[in-house]
């Protein structure tokens, strides 16, 4: 796709949770135009409490993305991420969640609250919610049971057959659809497959816009499987779930870690029923997907994460 002279290449990242924030911290160091599309299905913790009490979309994932893309003093970032440990009604809340809730009250809706908070935090890029309202995520398990609530889905220990949203007809923002159409690269992940990535794509017009977009579509595969979501999944299983939910093969490229993880760390994850995701290249090739394998892991406090700078460099090389 030809780009207008002097326009920065546009990358649209779709997801939520920690994975999205980790990627954005590395990507903002590159001369690219970033738009992050963030799930509004979270119903746990501070976000879930504010969602229920104030009847607003959950602010937590948006808060983390705003901070990841912000250009402010470390103390301001720490303040925004500060979580109260005591206080009647305050305990457990992140200050940034409360500030976003206050901004929703002042501006009248979630989208405008995010826009104004982006100015306060000097955000490099654009942060857009998958919808300007809360959605409820449901999972149909392999035994036919229905689990309601994003935070509850991982705890049932059964394979997930499919996930779906209510209300069924959720209208995304026109701004979100326009950013997808204008993208040079669309990236799904890294992040929880069923509870961070798919809730965005299940907003019908967003999923349709991604499928129809001219941009190359890339899936950043998780390094480890997740108990209760992707137990035993290979890289191709992750992609197949995306394709099944959207009803078509749309992923062009997958990025998979091939770096070694220390045995003691693998053992720790094994106790949590989590294993390293295997790259089953033959199945991926049968799906017509280009495979990029690279050493992408780093370890923070015994937690396996993507190396944000290496991952960002690979994504920028695809432009």
């Amino acid at each position: 796709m030809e780009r207008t002279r002097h326009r920065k290449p546009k990358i649209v990242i779709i997801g939520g949770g920690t994975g999205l924030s980790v990627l954005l911290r590395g990507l903002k160091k590159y001369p690219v135009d970033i738009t992050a599309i963030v799930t509004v299905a979270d119903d746990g913790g501070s976000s879930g409490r504010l969602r229920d009490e104030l009847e607003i979309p959950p602010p937590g994932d948006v808060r983390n993305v705003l901070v990841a893309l912000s250009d402010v003093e470390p103390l301001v970032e720490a303040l925004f991420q500060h979580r109260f440990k005591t206080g009647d009604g305050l305990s457990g809340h992140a200050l940034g969640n409360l500030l976003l809730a206050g901004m929703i009250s002042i501006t009248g809706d979630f989208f405008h609250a995010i826009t104004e908070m982006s100015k306060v935090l000097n955000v490099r890029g654009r942060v857009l919610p998958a919808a300007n309202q809360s959605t409820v995520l449901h999972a149909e398990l392999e035994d036919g049971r229905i689990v309601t609530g994003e935070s509850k889905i991982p705890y049932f220990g059964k394979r997930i057959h499919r996930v779906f949203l209510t209300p069924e007809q959720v209208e995304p923002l026109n701004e979100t659809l326009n950013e997808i159409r204008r993208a040079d690269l669309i990236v799904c992940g890294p992040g929880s497959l069923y509870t961070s990535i798919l809730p965005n794509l299940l907003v019908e017009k967003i999923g349709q816009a991604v499928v129809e977009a001219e941009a190359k579509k890339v899936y950043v595969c998780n390094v480890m499987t997740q108990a209760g979501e992707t137990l035993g999944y290979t890289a191709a299983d992750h992609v197949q779930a995306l394709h099944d939910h959207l009803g078509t093969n749309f992923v062009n490229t997958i990025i998979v870690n091939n770096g070694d993880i220390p045995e003691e760390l693998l053992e720790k994850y094994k106790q949590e029923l989590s294993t390293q995701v295997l790259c089953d290249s033959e199945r991926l090739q049968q799906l017509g997907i280009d495979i990029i394998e690279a050493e992408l892991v780093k370890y923070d406090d015994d937690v396996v994460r993507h190396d944000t700078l290496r991952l960002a460099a690979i994504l920028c090389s695809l432009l």
Side-chain angles (χ1 to χ4, degrees):
M1 178 164 50
E2 288 189 26
R3 294 195 295 271
T4 306
R5 187 183 294 271
H6 304 311
R7 177 172 79 80
K8 286 182 182 179
K10 170 171 281 299
I11 300 182
V12 170
I13 318 284
I14 298 173
T18 306
L20 180 59
S21 301
V22 167
L23 171 55
L24 292 172
R25 286 185 183 276
L27 205 55
K28 74 177 181 182
K29 301 180 187 298
Y30 287 81
V32 291
D33 180 356
I34 301 169
T35 296
I37 299 174
V38 188
T39 176
V40 287
D42 186 12
D43 64 352
S46 169
S47 277
R49 286 164 58 193
L50 290 171
R51 168 183 173 142
D52 292 341
E53 291 171 19
L54 303 180
E55 297 183 347
I56 61 173
D61 281 346
V62 165
R63 181 196 85 243
N64 283 324
V65 170
L66 286 171
V67 169
L69 287 174
S70 68
D71 185 14
V72 291
E73 294 296 323
L75 187 61
V76 176
E77 179 179 328
L79 181 66
F80 206 71
Q81 293 287 61
H82 175 72
R83 195 174 292 274
F84 294 96
K85 295 180 179 176
T86 58
D88 186 20
L90 273 180
S91 181
H93 278 305
L95 181 58
N97 287 355
L98 298 176
L99 290 172
L100 273 167
M103 194 66 85
I104 292 170
S105 181
I106 292 168
T107 61
D109 70 46
F110 197 34
F111 169 58
H112 287 101
I114 295 169
T115 302
E116 294 305 316
M117 197 59 76
S118 296
K119 297 175 186 175
V120 172
L121 293 172
N122 196 22
V123 165
R124 296 188 184 185
R126 199 166 191 199
V127 180
L128 295 169
N132 210 19
Q133 67 182 81
S134 296
T135 57
V136 179
L137 185 67
H138 310 267
E140 181 184 345
L141 306 180
E142 61 181 352
D143 61 6
R145 281 186 296 171
I146 303 294
V147 181
T148 295
E150 178 266 346
S151 62
K152 299 179 181 66
I153 289 169
Y155 293 101
F156 277 75
K158 297 283 186 181
R159 282 179 79 95
I160 295 170
H161 174 59
R162 68 181 180 110
V163 287
F164 59 97
L165 297 175
T166 55
E168 288 184 24
Q169 297 302 318
V170 180
E171 280 296 316
L173 296 159
N174 286 329
E175 288 84 354
T176 303
L177 300 179
N178 288 335
E179 294 293 281
I180 292 170
R181 293 176 187 129
R182 292 174 53 232
D184 299 301
L185 189 70
I186 296 172
V187 182
C188 296
S192 300
L193 176 64
Y194 288 106
T195 54
S196 290
I197 298 170
L198 275 167
N200 297 285
L201 298 172
L202 290 175
V203 176
E204 186 176 354
K205 289 183 181 178
I206 289 181
Q208 183 180 356
V210 168
V211 168
E212 294 175 354
E214 294 180 30
K216 179 180 288 186
K217 293 106 183 178
V218 180
Y219 174 60
V220 180
C221 191
N222 288 342
V223 176
M224 307 296 293
T225 64
Q226 284 184 275
E229 282 205 43
T230 54
L231 185 65
Y233 273 37
T234 64
D237 289 330
H238 285 76
V239 174
Q240 192 63 61
L242 291 169
H243 289 177
D244 288 347
H245 279 79
L246 266 65
T248 187
N249 292 9
F250 69 95
V251 174
N252 306 121
T253 302
I254 187 170
I255 299 175
V256 188
N257 168 65
N258 66 0
D260 292 329
I261 299 172
E263 281 297 326
E264 62 271 19
L265 205 48
L266 287 175
E267 189 60 36
K268 174 179 175 288
Y269 271 87
K270 187 177 179 181
Q271 292 171 12
E272 300 169 5
L273 301 179
S274 180
T275 57
Q276 187 169 353
V277 175
L278 299 176
C279 181
D280 43 348
S281 301
E282 190 172 326
R283 276 185 64 200
L284 289 167
Q285 288 166 355
Q286 288 171 355
L287 290 168
I289 294 172
D290 294 328
I291 305 165
I292 298 174
E293 292 188 77
E295 290 191 22
L296 291 171
V297 287
K298 63 184 300 186
Y299 320 108
D300 295 322
D301 299 323
D302 284 343
V303 176
V304 177
R305 299 205 188 284
H306 281 90
D307 185 316
T308 177
L309 293 177
R310 288 184 184 176
L311 181 54
I314 290 171
L315 288 172
C316 289
S317 75
L318 295 175
L319 291 164

